[in-house]
Amino acid sequence: MPHRARRLAGTILIVIASCAASPAQSSTAPVINWQAHWITAPALPPYAPALVHFQRTIDLPAKPDHFIVRVSADNAFLLHVNGETVGRGPAKGDLAHWRFETIDLAPFLHSGSNILAAIVWNYGEYKSAAQFTNRTAFLLEGTSPETESANTDKSWQTEIDHGMTIEPLTKPIAHNYYAAEPIEIINTKDFDAAWDAPITDPSHWAPAVPLDRAASRGARDADSNWQLVPDLLPPMEYTPQPGGKVVRTTGLDSAANFPDGAITIPANTTASILIDNGTLTTGYPELSLSGGNAATIRLTYAEALYDAKGEKGNRNDITGKHIAGIYDDYIADGSNNRTFAPFVWRTWRYLQIDIHTGDQPLQLNRFHFTFSAFPFVHRAKFTSDDPSLEKIWNIGWRTARLDAHDTYMDTPYWERLQYVGDTRLQALISYSNAGDDRLARQAINAINDSRMPDGITLSRYPTSLFQSIPPFSLLWIGMVHDYALYRDDPAFVRQQLEGTRTVLAWFLQHQNPNGLMGKLPWWSFIDWTEDFKGGEPPQDANGDSAIITLHYIEALREAAELESAYGDPILAQRYRETAAKSVSAIQTLCWNPQTHLYTDTPHGNHYSQHTNAMAVWLDVAPAAAQRGIMTHILDPANAATISPASYYYRFYLNRALQHAGMGDQYIQQLQPWRNMIDLGLTTWAEQPEPTRSDSHAWSAHPNFDLLNIVAGIQPASLGFKSVLIAPHLGPLHTLTASYPHPQGTIEVQYTREDGKLHAIVHLPHNLHGTFRWQNRSYPITQGTLNLTIPDNKDKTS
């Protein structure tokens, strides 16, 4: 049943009635002949932070079977019908791809009068970095003549609500770089809590001001800056959760009943309540309260607590530590059963409630929250006789989930931005762990939409703040190739080829005559490692960076395979020839025969795991040299002379380890993740201590590698039309895993005993493949393989 409750701010979406999204992409979506207009409130400044209520009444002769509407807003809306929450949105895009949601209102309508009400907010100049804006406005249109009575026009009523103000995030507040939503301050006495109820005081309301008629992307003579496209994502998950556990109070004798039960804060009291959720989470906090006129309440959100030195230490330890970070404020008006909830979802493990009461006591009735994230389902399974791997598996999945909402993001607390480097890894986790490509398709399209006239993409998108990391454009080509490997979807891949071509054409213009990549404009970020200044690898005066050239080689080869399969074979051959020139340059100019390693530039003696691992993975290094290179760069004794890969870049290091036939060493490479567990982290950190972010999905790639390397489940051809099962069990004796292939579930089970491996493999119907163990291959033709074979642990698989 729909959840009915009056919320003061940020009403939580419990039930959404939504039409199924069309599989068509936004670039090819049909052009809609819109009839409704965007509307706004009179005298509302176009770019100022604003909170606006919109309302109209429609009369129906009977309850309809369907009442489908399209809804959008700038920036965001929450839609109620007869007091019930029916939808929120829109999903993020840019002005050239502004999303609208499609919602069936019928379950919430009845015969007679029905109130349609929306609350729309725009943070204006304080908007998050991921947000675009044209001006504060709302749009709703019925999709048929029977529903056009709901269309937004001047018959709608509007109310500017002055109860919410916005406070920008400053570095002293955030303690670090912050690129997410600002602080919300709710003053109850100025807030209209009855915004979705029948209007009793018309003096606060005024007829809407129609703006431009709505227009689809691709429409002729469009008057609107918002070029509308359908949101192809499903509604986010909204699941009620308990509030956590009170672990510390000050200014109170006890909070034993809280957060599930009520406690009273006496008049003229300053108190605080620290709550530990147990794990990091994302969602909408809700604090129910009564009384306490003029009392101030602050909710502060933190991934971890800090000691006097500003260090986090063990995340489970609260002794001598304090909370610092993002917060929202609330000023009570003395009414009963109010709910304080921000409009935007927040991120926290620790949440502190600070209260200052005036002349009246304040009752805190209850604290709970609604978890929200992209509705991924964890369909893959991985179990083994090493219990630490199960912890790594579960923490990695939690990390991936919290970093996925209506876009992937860098970190849900600090940077809600869809960076290509992070997103490539997140998409692979989505394919392999959830069997879900919906958010990945959104990401690939979004990055393609960001391409500059120069030809390359931005480093992250959507965002209204310019940032270019040219190597990330190469990784976007990798994303497209990954999609082509894991999904049999030629039409979607072909849509991206224009973008891959312009990216590579731009890089070709910057290639030096010697075959290495020249000096690039903007930011040549590769990895956060100590002697990569600002994340940039060493370069000579004219560039000649081996690692940037290696990523160029990777992208050329990936694009050549895509062109051969889906595009232009002649162009594919040109890419292969260009890649070969760069390969020869690295082999000739960067190989040091004394150290048996590749240098990061031709004229230096700087070495990194990055360059050497990529040279192995891409077979720039001869096969006979690959094991020696990997052994050398992974030897702790050489750590002082070789730049190490970060948590993020270890993904590429792992590709080289697997390619060199050393996959059995993968499990021992997981020690940094075990160290994070020992520190009490419940999601994976951005980098080793001291780390800014405790939740970075680029560190969750073990969830991909445990399936791909350890269980050995890999696509053997484009479209995942065939499978290679090549396990690398290392020290494991037992392993069971399942993998969500588009045609069904792949299941593997391995047992090692008495010098033998017993392997059972089940493939979906019509999927064939090969099982490979210790350099011997066995065909899987009937969907099931059950064999017992010699297990020589001295050999690598």
Side-chain angles (χ1 to χ4, degrees):
M1 295 293 292
H3 181 74
R4 179 70 172 99
R6 178 73 60 200
R7 302 283 199 266
L8 178 62
T11 304
I12 302 305
L13 178 59
I14 303 298
V15 174
I16 299 180
S18 177
C19 295
S22 164
Q25 291 303 301
S26 60
S27 60
T28 58
V31 174
I32 297 168
N33 184 23
W34 291 81
Q35 300 301 312
H37 286 73
W38 288 89
I39 58 173
T40 191
L44 182 67
Y47 308 114
L51 181 72
V52 185
H53 305 138
F54 296 86
Q55 189 183 124
R56 77 161 298 164
T57 299
I58 59 172
D59 293 314
L60 299 175
K63 179 179 175 64
D65 293 330
H66 295 286
F67 198 101
I68 298 172
V69 297
R70 309 179 187 102
V71 193
S72 192
D74 187 344
N75 285 151
F77 72 84
L78 179 70
L79 180 64
H80 282 193
V81 173
N82 294 323
E84 305 280 3
T85 298
V86 300
R88 66 164 66 233
K92 290 186 181 69
D94 56 24
L95 290 176
H97 306 84
W98 198 268
R99 315 294 182 195
F100 66 84
E101 311 302 320
T102 305
I103 305 172
D104 189 352
L105 307 184
F108 308 92
L109 296 170
H110 52 243
S111 61
S113 295
N114 294 266
I115 297 177
L116 310 184
I119 190 164
V120 172
W121 59 97
N122 188 330
Y123 295 129
E125 62 184 305
Y126 306 126
K127 69 185 186 305
S128 71
Q131 187 65 60
F132 286 83
T133 185
N134 185 40
R135 63 174 298 164
T136 304
F138 178 62
L139 173 70
L140 186 147
E141 177 175 287
T143 60
S144 67
E146 294 75 23
T147 59
E148 64 184 10
S149 61
N151 290 3
T152 43
D153 55 25
K154 63 183 179 181
S155 66
W156 281 70
Q157 295 293 302
T158 66
E159 177 188 45
I160 300 175
D161 197 309
H162 300 286
M164 183 179 79
T165 55
I166 302 301
E167 182 174 321
L169 266 296
T170 61
K171 194 164 185 178
I173 295 173
H175 295 280
N176 220 309
Y177 177 65
Y178 181 84
E181 280 74 10
I183 294 165
E184 297 179 1
I185 302 171
I186 304 295
N187 192 333
T188 318
K189 68 181 180 62
D190 296 323
F191 188 91
D192 184 0
W195 60 271
D196 62 348
I199 296 172
T200 57
D201 186 357
S203 65
H204 291 172
W205 294 75
V209 175
L211 302 172
D212 301 327
R213 182 175 296 201
S216 292
R217 177 171 174 77
R220 177 183 174 183
D221 299 328
D223 296 325
S224 173
N225 284 334
W226 298 284
Q227 298 182 50
L228 289 161
V229 297
D231 179 12
L232 303 183
L233 298 179
M236 298 298 103
E237 177 183 341
Y238 300 93
T239 303
Q241 298 289 337
K245 178 182 178 182
V246 174
V247 293
R248 186 169 67 201
T249 61
T250 59
L252 293 173
D253 294 333
S254 172
N257 295 330
F258 200 70
D260 295 327
I263 59 169
T264 298
I265 313 298
N268 302 308
T269 296
T270 296
S272 69
I273 303 169
L274 180 65
I275 296 174
D276 180 5
N277 188 60
T279 61
L280 200 73
T281 193
T282 57
Y284 297 86
E286 293 186 68
L287 176 63
S288 173
L289 43 84
S290 297
N293 184 43
T296 61
I297 301 96
R298 171 169 293 182
L299 302 186
T300 302
Y301 318 98
E303 294 179 309
L305 303 181
Y306 298 88
D307 64 18
K309 297 179 180 179
E311 297 174 355
K312 297 179 181 180
N314 191 296
R315 279 32 171 201
N316 299 322
D317 184 9
I318 69 170
T319 304
K321 293 184 178 180
H322 65 278
I323 200 166
I326 314 310
Y327 59 83
D328 292 309
D329 284 347
Y330 177 89
I331 304 170
D333 67 351
S335 300
N336 291 327
N337 298 316
R338 295 292 203 193
T339 297
F340 173 25
F343 287 95
V344 66
W345 57 268
R346 297 299 191 184
T347 305
W348 73 95
R349 172 179 171 176
Y350 290 98
L351 184 148
Q352 185 162 297
I353 306 173
D354 290 294
I355 309 107
H356 300 276
T357 57
D359 295 337
Q360 292 184 7
L362 173 72
Q363 180 170 294
L364 304 183
N365 301 322
R366 180 191 179 207
F367 173 78
H368 65 289
F369 75 97
T370 298
F371 171 78
S372 185
F374 189 87
F376 282 126
V377 175
H378 203 186
R379 293 187 170 91
K381 294 182 173 60
F382 183 94
T383 58
S384 73
D385 55 313
D386 182 346
S388 72
L389 297 183
E390 183 176 0
K391 293 180 181 179
I392 290 171
W393 175 258
N394 290 333
I395 292 174
W397 178 244
R398 180 182 300 117
T399 307
R401 285 225 63 196
L402 300 189
D403 280 296
H405 290 255
D406 58 348
T407 68
Y408 293 113
M409 53 195 60
D410 191 25
T411 154
Y413 190 94
W414 299 97
E415 284 184 85
R416 298 178 182 179
L417 290 166
Q418 189 164 246
Y419 285 88
V420 180
D422 309 60
T423 298
R424 182 184 191 183
L425 276 56
Q426 290 170 283
L428 288 170
I429 295 168
S430 301
Y431 304 147
S432 61
N433 279 234
D436 194 323
D437 58 35
R438 293 173 293 181
L439 200 58
R441 290 162 63 95
Q442 170 277 136
I444 292 169
N445 274 333
I447 300 303
N448 198 7
D449 291 338
S450 80
R451 278 184 298 137
M452 300 183 286
D454 306 65
I456 60 172
T457 71
L458 298 183
S459 65
R460 58 196 186 186
Y461 211 69
T463 176
S464 56
L465 295 178
F466 176 88
Q467 186 190 81
S468 175
I469 299 176
F472 275 18
S473 289
L474 299 173
L475 297 183
W476 173 73
I477 294 174
M479 283 187 65
V480 177
H481 184 265
D482 294 342
Y483 182 88
L485 266 180
Y486 285 87
R487 289 296 182 269
D488 184 16
D489 190 355
F492 180 79
V493 175
R494 288 190 181 100
Q495 289 177 13
Q496 316 305 319
L497 292 184
E498 179 184 355
T500 63
R501 292 165 184 166
T502 66
V503 167
L504 290 175
W506 184 90
F507 274 91
L508 183 61
Q509 295 172 4
H510 289 80
Q511 187 174 10
N512 286 332
N514 64 6
L516 298 178
M517 188 53 56
K519 199 81 170 179
L520 302 177
W522 298 300
W523 185 17
S524 292
F525 174 86
I526 290 294
D527 190 22
W528 291 121
T529 191
E530 187 173 347
D531 55 352
F532 282 19
K533 295 180 181 179
E536 293 193 334
Q539 299 185 57
D540 290 342
N542 63 341
D544 283 352
S545 164
I547 185 59
I548 295 175
T549 305
L550 285 160
H551 277 290
Y552 179 48
I553 292 168
E554 177 197 7
L556 284 165
R557 290 178 176 174
E558 290 166 335
E561 187 172 6
L562 296 177
E563 293 288 354
S564 294
Y566 305 121
D568 184 348
I570 296 175
L571 187 57
Q573 181 59 28
R574 290 176 184 169
Y575 288 160
R576 285 190 285 267
E577 291 169 356
T578 304
K581 179 179 178 181
S582 292
V583 168
S584 178
I586 291 176
Q587 292 171 335
T588 303
L589 300 174
C590 298
W591 175 251
N592 187 322
Q594 283 74 44
T595 60
H596 299 285
L597 295 175
Y598 291 92
T599 57
D600 287 322
T601 64
H603 300 101
N605 60 354
H606 189 279
Y607 300 91
S608 67
Q609 289 185 337
H610 310 71
T611 291
N612 285 278
M614 287 293 288
V616 169
W617 182 33
L618 299 174
D619 285 320
V620 174
Q626 291 179 5
R627 286 176 180 266
I629 291 171
M630 294 304 297
T631 299
H632 191 103
I633 67 173
L634 292 173
D635 187 343
N638 299 321
T641 58
I642 300 174
S643 293
S646 70
Y647 294 160
Y648 156 62
Y649 209 86
R650 280 173 175 259
F651 170 81
Y652 296 96
L653 188 72
N654 295 338
R655 309 280 68 73
L657 193 72
Q658 182 182 28
H659 186 71
M662 300 169 65
D664 281 315
Q665 297 184 28
Y666 171 76
I667 290 175
Q668 72 189 59
Q669 298 298 320
L670 291 173
Q671 189 57 44
W673 281 263
R674 297 185 179 94
N675 295 342
M676 283 189 272
I677 294 173
D678 291 341
L679 280 172
L681 282 145
T682 62
T683 49
W684 299 131
E686 179 178 15
Q687 58 191 13
E689 299 289 276
T691 182
R692 173 191 61 152
S693 166
D694 274 11
S695 180
H696 243 68
W698 73 11
S699 301
H701 53 77
N703 276 59
F704 175 77
D705 286 333
L706 288 171
L707 293 170
N708 183 275
I709 298 176
V710 182
I713 305 170
Q714 309 162 36
S717 58
L718 289 178
F720 217 156
K721 295 178 181 179
S722 59
V723 61
L724 172 65
I725 310 291
H728 300 84
L729 301 180
L732 299 180
H733 294 89
T734 62
L735 184 154
T736 301
S738 62
Y739 189 108
H741 186 278
Q743 295 185 27
T745 303
I746 298 172
E747 297 177 333
V748 298
Q749 181 177 328
Y750 311 125
T751 304
R752 307 171 81 175
E753 58 184 359
D754 300 328
K756 294 182 179 180
L757 171 76
H758 182 55
I760 302 174
V761 178
H762 294 286
L763 301 184
H765 183 64
N766 291 332
L767 182 65
H768 67 276
T770 301
F771 181 82
R772 184 180 299 158
W773 177 253
Q774 294 177 349
N775 300 320
R776 296 191 64 180
S777 296
Y778 307 84
I780 313 172
T781 57
Q782 301 300 320
T784 299
L785 179 72
N786 190 329
L787 79 165
T788 300
I789 51 180
D791 175 21
N792 185 347
K793 288 190 177 183
D794 294 331
K795 292 183 179 181
T796 55
S797 301

